[in-house]
Amino acid sequence: MRRRRRSGPTRRRGNPGSEGLILLGLVGLVAVSLIAALLNWLAAHPWVVALLLLAAAGAGGLWLWRRQEAARWEQVRAQGLRYAVEHLDSLHHNDFEFAVRDLMHRDGCSDAQKVGGRGDNGADVKATDPYGRRWVIQCKHRKDGWHGSAVGTPDLQVLNGTGRQIHGGDVLVMLTNGRFSRPALDFAKSQHLHLVDRHLLAQWAGGSHPLWELLRAIPPPRKPNRLS
């Protein structure tokens, strides 16, 4: 007869999760001890804390100074922005709107933005001038410039219907590198809309005067300003 082998005592396997918790606890304890030691050392050497604070303040001041310098140079660059009207003729209509936005920014409209596209509700560029007036500009680019098709009354009617009610504009401008039809000129006058044709655009884009100095019958400033 075969003798049955007696099975030895069953060994219990340790829980690997508990070992991980123990290790994590030891690491945490060491970290807390190191932090406590560091705090005690800093308390005994307060000049180190003062030195660190001074270094942080210096770094923050340097960062702020560099940021202000970058903004100042950006303003200088923007103030020197010029466009020849022939260059504007060669642009895609989308880039033409960006150029108008940049010119408004050059003149001190820090919030100037291009909003043209589908569903723009008659506005391509919007901006607030230094006097607090809200500008709503609709751009009409003509590849053939003055010899292209004239901007007519229907386009002005869209701007007139949305510029104040939807966009809250104080100054509504229709701008083109071309020309306007005679009915459009009459309609703009009757509705207090401002027109910028090729000749006025060339004067504005190639010069240094802001657009509100070149247009007539501009609304008064909304807020006091050092320029007013």
Side-chain angles (χ1 to χ4, degrees):
M1 296 180 63
R2 295 181 180 179
R3 296 180 178 178
R4 295 181 180 178
R5 296 180 179 179
R6 296 180 179 179
S7 59
T10 304
R11 295 182 180 180
R12 296 181 179 178
R13 296 180 180 180
N15 188 353
S18 62
E19 295 179 358
L21 290 176
I22 294 174
L23 180 60
L24 184 61
L26 290 175
V27 171
L29 183 61
V30 171
V32 170
S33 300
L34 290 176
I35 293 174
L38 178 60
L39 292 176
N40 290 332
W41 186 83
L42 290 176
H45 302 82
W47 61 270
V48 176
V49 178
L51 187 61
L52 291 175
L53 292 176
L54 185 62
L62 180 61
W63 174 83
L64 182 61
W65 177 80
R66 287 182 175 178
R67 184 174 181 181
Q68 291 174 342
E69 280 293 294
R72 186 176 69 85
W73 281 113
E74 175 62 22
Q75 184 178 8
V76 171
R77 184 200 66 79
Q79 288 175 346
L81 182 64
R82 301 287 188 276
Y83 286 114
V85 71
E86 292 78 13
H87 173 70
L88 296 175
D89 292 341
S90 65
L91 296 178
H92 183 271
H93 69 85
N94 193 54
D95 295 326
F96 181 67
E97 295 169 7
F98 275 116
V100 172
R101 179 207 62 182
D102 292 342
L103 287 170
M104 293 297 289
H105 189 272
R106 177 200 71 181
D107 293 343
C109 303
S110 58
D111 67 341
Q113 58 177 327
K114 176 191 175 302
V115 294
R118 291 185 178 180
D120 59 17
N121 290 317
D124 292 318
V125 176
K126 295 195 291 186
T128 306
D129 67 25
Y131 302 95
R133 294 170 299 209
R134 188 65 172 163
W135 290 65
V136 178
I137 304 175
Q138 178 73 13
C139 302
K140 294 297 179 183
H141 185 263
R142 296 292 186 259
K143 292 182 179 179
D144 297 327
W146 186 265
H147 301 290
S149 59
V151 179
T153 304
D155 293 317
L156 290 174
Q157 288 173 338
V158 173
L159 175 63
N160 190 51
T162 62
R164 297 183 181 92
Q165 293 87 339
I166 295 179
H167 301 291
D170 300 305
V171 187
L172 309 186
V173 179
M174 180 67 72
L175 181 148
T176 180
N177 63 323
R179 57 193 174 89
F180 294 96
S181 66
R182 182 71 245 182
L185 295 174
D186 295 336
F187 180 81
K189 185 177 181 180
S190 67
Q191 300 300 316
H192 305 289
L193 305 177
H194 297 275
L195 303 181
V196 177
D197 63 7
R198 181 179 184 82
H199 302 303
L200 187 56
L201 175 61
Q203 185 180 354
W204 177 44
S208 58
H209 292 285
L211 190 54
W212 47 88
E213 291 184 3
L214 303 176
L215 295 175
R216 297 179 179 178
I218 295 296
R222 275 182 171 264
K223 62 182 181 179
N225 188 283
R226 61 181 179 85
L227 301 176
S228 58

